[in-house]
Amino acid sequence: MNVIDAWDGRKACALQQAFRMTQEAFADHLGVSVRTVGKWHAEPDAAPRPDVQQILDTAYERAADTVRHRFNLLLRPAPEAVPAQALRVAIAVVTRGDEVLLVCRRGSDSLTWQFPAGVVKPGATPAVVAVAETHTETGVRCTVRESLGSRIHPVTGVVAEYHACEYLMGEATNRDPLENEDVAWVPISALPKFIPTENIYPPILSALEAA
């Protein structure tokens, strides 16, 4: 059984809750006034008088094991909130000569052309995800040439990590028809017709100019 070094309003209210009593019933159980119990609720940091401390000690010591167990659970510090991990997406900018690989995503009411991408699960490496998702979605095998950096995507709010990739082999086919409408090699010069230039991460444009 735990020993209470010093009682305050908060602990006294926790004992009342552990007994599952109303303020009136708890006051009667302790032999104090209802006003005293009400003060504990109003001033949780205030310490009761020494004689009332002894009354609370006695009530706790004589309580059933289930009451003491509930009381100790109520006094446990709340666990610290774990910050939610931001959703990360690995994006592959795959080039083949003067062409770049795009997928046409199905939206709720529209279609949008994008670079192949996949969610990076905890413990996964973004570059590996970019290569694997490209093959899963399009059948194209590629290798990462360099990282193009990352940003908070201005539309989706996810952490987007971009990778410049080189084509190795494979025919571009739509291998995920539930998510994508089409897959295509697009001339780099015609990219703005598919994705507005202002929506493209600037390092991608620089990498494509050098491709």
Side-chain angles (χ1 to χ4, degrees), residues 94-101 165 167 184-189 208 211:
V94 186
T95 54
R96 183 183 66 176
D98 60 355
E99 298 176 312
V100 63
L101 183 65
C165 302
Y167 168 80
W185 287 105
V186 173
I188 294 174
S189 59
L208 291 177

Side-chain angles (χ1 to χ4, degrees), residues 23-138:
Q23 291 190 31
E24 291 78 7
F26 190 52
D28 184 65
H29 180 75
L30 298 179
V32 300
S33 68
V34 175
R35 184 176 180 180
T36 296
V37 177
K39 184 177 180 180
W40 294 337
H41 285 270
E43 302 177 14
D45 295 324
R49 300 190 315 269
D51 58 322
V52 178
Q53 296 259 351
Q54 292 179 1
I55 292 173
L56 289 166
D57 283 339
T58 301
Y60 175 67
E61 291 166 3
R62 293 179 178 177
D65 290 342
T66 53
V67 173
R68 290 199 297 266
H69 180 67
R70 284 196 294 268
F71 174 77
N72 292 322
L73 288 177
L74 289 168
L75 289 188
R76 282 184 181 179
E80 293 185 6
V82 178
Q85 183 174 352
L87 181 66
R88 297 166 64 202
V89 174
I91 298 170
V93 183
V94 186
T95 54
R96 183 183 66 176
D98 60 355
E99 298 176 312
V100 63
L101 183 65
L102 297 181
V103 296
C104 185
R105 300 277 191 215
R106 298 180 187 274
S108 57
D109 56 2
S110 63
L111 298 173
T112 57
W113 287 93
Q114 303 175 17
F115 302 104
V119 174
V120 181
K121 296 180 180 179
T125 302
V128 173
V129 172
V131 169
E133 286 297 323
T134 297
H135 182 253
T136 298
E137 287 189 314
T138 72

